Amino acid sequence: MNSPAFVVGKMVQRLSYNLGRVQKEAGLQLDRMGSQFTQDIAYLQESSRHRQRMPLYDTIPQVADAWVAPNATLVGEVIVSKWATIWYNVTIRAELNAVRIGNFTSVGDGTSIYSSHSLPHGLASSVNIGKNVTIGASCSIHSCIIDDDCVIGSGSVIGAGARVERGAVILPNTVVPVGRLIPAGQVWGGNPCTFVRELSQKELNDNYMASYANGSAESTSADAFSLYPRDYVNDSVPAGEDSMEQYAEKKFFANMKQ
């Protein structure tokens, strides 16, 4: 049970947040009224008040050396790890529970990710997406667990409480029902999803390496913002470091043996 000091602290934080919002909106209203009196039409012109990272009470989106598109929206307790890429028009809503995204994971254009308030006993109500995951465009992802090295095809829906195990592939436009378990190293597709086939070791490795290429796609020009994988894509590996193929051999297959 939380201590009284903790509860009081949370109440003070929320009170400060709400008072700040009231003052901001009151200031905007006064600005509009003043513009009307001075016949200034600037307040009538449409402008975007979009915020890429939107705090919610005492939770602030955390982005560590990742690339987030200018028109993407991160709300609440969103945690994006190093070298992940959040592409255009992505919406990640973590008002109710956390959304965690691992290293080198790519979230495609127009994808929506959000968490539930609570799920049946034993099911995570947060969203936990592992490392080296590739999520296609226009997906809808509810509270679920997506393990490392998975591929989620474009237009797919992952239901609340589902778990996609390591290296699994979800085909485009697939619907994964609530609470469904997708075993590791398999291909599933359809509505509702059904088993298609097993993946070969080469396919698993290719999917793993593709996550680096997805992360570096935004930095193909010399003047673009540089993400970690860029040197590997341009075949200019620094002396003493492994190439992408060598890294995959050492890390990916070593993990498979564990």
Side-chain angles (χ1 to χ4, degrees), residues 8-39:
V8 171
K10 287 290 185 182
M11 292 175 62
V12 170
Q13 286 179 337
R14 296 210 171 191
L15 178 61
S16 299
Y17 176 86
N18 289 326
L19 286 175
R21 285 197 60 187
V22 169
Q23 291 176 347
K24 286 172 61 177
E25 294 299 331
L28 288 172
Q29 183 60 31
L30 289 172
D31 180 65
R32 287 190 286 266
M33 292 176 61
S35 297
Q36 288 178 340
F37 287 127
T38 58
Q39 298 182 351

Side-chain angles (χ1 to χ4, degrees), residues 25-141:
E25 294 299 331
L28 288 172
Q29 183 60 31
L30 289 172
D31 180 65
R32 287 190 286 266
M33 292 176 61
S35 297
Q36 288 178 340
F37 287 127
T38 58
Q39 298 182 351
D40 183 354
I41 64 170
Y43 76 99
L44 295 175
Q45 298 177 354
E46 293 185 2
S47 60
S48 174
R49 297 182 62 189
H50 172 265
R51 288 185 289 173
Q52 187 185 72
R53 306 178 196 180
M54 185 178 299
L56 186 64
Y57 299 118
D58 56 328
T59 58
I60 302 173
Q62 302 175 29
V63 179
D65 294 329
W67 185 83
V68 180
N71 66 340
T73 303
L74 281 59
V75 182
E77 192 177 357
V78 180
I79 303 170
V80 183
S81 300
K82 284 186 176 182
W83 308 307
T85 47
I86 309 299
W87 292 89
Y88 298 95
N89 206 32
V90 169
T91 301
I92 304 178
R93 295 171 47 192
E95 308 105 319
L96 304 176
N97 277 291
V99 174
R100 305 176 183 89
I101 298 175
N103 301 335
F104 294 108
T105 288
S106 174
V107 181
D109 298 342
T111 290
S112 175
I113 302 175
Y114 56 93
S115 59
S116 302
H117 185 272
S118 62
L119 294 177
H121 180 68
L123 300 177
S125 53
S126 58
V127 178
N128 298 281
I129 300 174
K131 300 179 292 184
N132 300 97
V133 175
T134 300
I135 298 176
S138 303
C139 294
S140 180
I141 298 177

Side-chain angles (χ1 to χ4, degrees), residues 218-242:
E218 181 59 22
S219 49
T220 53
S221 66
D223 299 327
F225 173 74
S226 178
L227 293 174
Y228 172 77
R230 180 182 175 188
D231 291 337
Y232 295 87
V233 173
N234 294 339
D235 297 326
S236 57
V237 181
E241 296 189 13
D242 295 331

Side-chain angles (χ1 to χ4, degrees), residues 139-156:
C139 294
S140 180
I141 298 177
H142 304 200
S143 293
C144 64
I145 298 174
I146 300 177
D147 287 340
D148 300 346
D149 311 330
C150 292
V151 177
I152 309 298
S154 298
S156 296

Side-chain angles (χ1 to χ4, degrees), residues 139-199:
C139 294
S140 180
I141 298 177
H142 304 200
S143 293
C144 64
I145 298 174
I146 300 177
D147 287 340
D148 300 346
D149 311 330
C150 292
V151 177
I152 309 298
S154 298
S156 296
V157 177
I158 310 297
R163 175 163 186 169
V164 184
E165 293 189 336
R166 186 173 187 227
V169 173
I170 304 299
L171 297 177
N173 301 313
T174 293
V175 176
V176 178
V178 173
R180 178 64 58 87
L181 173 65
I182 306 299
Q186 295 184 355
V187 180
W188 286 61
N191 181 11
C193 64
T194 55
F195 172 75
V196 177
R197 64 180 177 87
E198 297 281 350
L199 285 165

